[in-house]
Every structure is written in structure tokens, then in C-alpha cells.
Amino acid sequence: MHSKIQANLRGVNLSSLNLSHADLSDTDLRDAKLSGADLSGADLSGADLSGASLISANLSHANLSNAQVTGTRFGKNPGLLEQTKDNLIKGGGIWEPSITEVLLALIELN
């Protein structure tokens, strides 16, 4: 059974928590700290994630449709499809590359 979380979670530190399959749809998560959280299978549709940090959060099978991601930091997210990543960047999300991605980009420049 999926539980619907109905709370203002703006600015809350949820780092490294197991939120797999949580119903966070339409939730205010602005400026929340979700780094390292397990959000696999979570419903984040319509959530306001503006300014939140999701670095290293597990986003496999997470529903991010219509989520607001202006200024949201992503990077090293297991399960995040390339198309979803592109859509998040187009929506204003910030992709923080891993050191491996930075090194590969530098090699390509040379």
C-alpha cells in the first residue's frame, strides 16, 4: 500500500531516507535535502522540487512528471533514464556531473 504524504516539507532534510514508493505527488519540497534518499518508485508528479538537492538519490522508476525542478540539483542518480535527465534539465534542473563525466569531457576536448 502506498502512503500519501500530505505535508509542507519545504526545506526539510530527508537525506538518505527510504522513501521508496512514497506518494509525494503535489508536495511542497522546495529547498528540501533529498541527497542519497531512496525514491525508487516514488510518485513525485506535480511536486515542487525547486531548489531541492537530489544528488545521489535513487530515482529508478520514480514518477517526476509535471514536477517543478527550477534550480533542483541532480547528479549520480541511479535509475534515471537519459530522456528523463534531459527533460529535467529543460525544466530548469541542474545536473552536477560526476568526476568521471568531467574527466571524460576533458579528454574529449583534447
Side-chain angles (χ1 to χ4, degrees), residues 21-27 39 41-47 61-65:
H21 303 286
D23 186 348
L24 296 163
S25 59
D26 302 312
T27 300
L39 292 162
D43 184 359
L44 294 159
S45 61
H61 305 290
N63 180 358
L64 290 155
S65 62

Side-chain angles (χ1 to χ4, degrees), residues 33-93:
K33 290 156 187 64
L34 292 155
S35 297
D38 182 358
L39 292 162
S40 58
D43 184 359
L44 294 159
S45 61
D48 190 347
L49 295 164
S50 302
S53 176
L54 281 89
I55 305 282
S56 298
N58 182 347
L59 297 172
S60 60
H61 305 290
N63 180 358
L64 290 155
S65 62
N66 299 314
Q68 296 178 25
V69 294
T70 304
T72 305
R73 298 198 174 290
F74 296 93
K76 299 179 276 182
N77 300 104
L80 191 64
L81 300 175
E82 199 64 32
Q83 181 179 355
T84 303
K85 174 184 167 184
D86 292 342
N87 289 338
L88 292 170
I89 291 170
K90 287 176 189 170

Side-chain angles (χ1 to χ4, degrees), residues 11-32:
V12 173
N13 186 352
L14 302 171
S15 297
S16 302
L17 291 181
N18 182 353
L19 298 169
S20 62
H21 303 286
D23 186 348
L24 296 163
S25 59
D26 302 312
T27 300
D28 183 354
L29 288 160
R30 289 175 288 169
D31 302 314

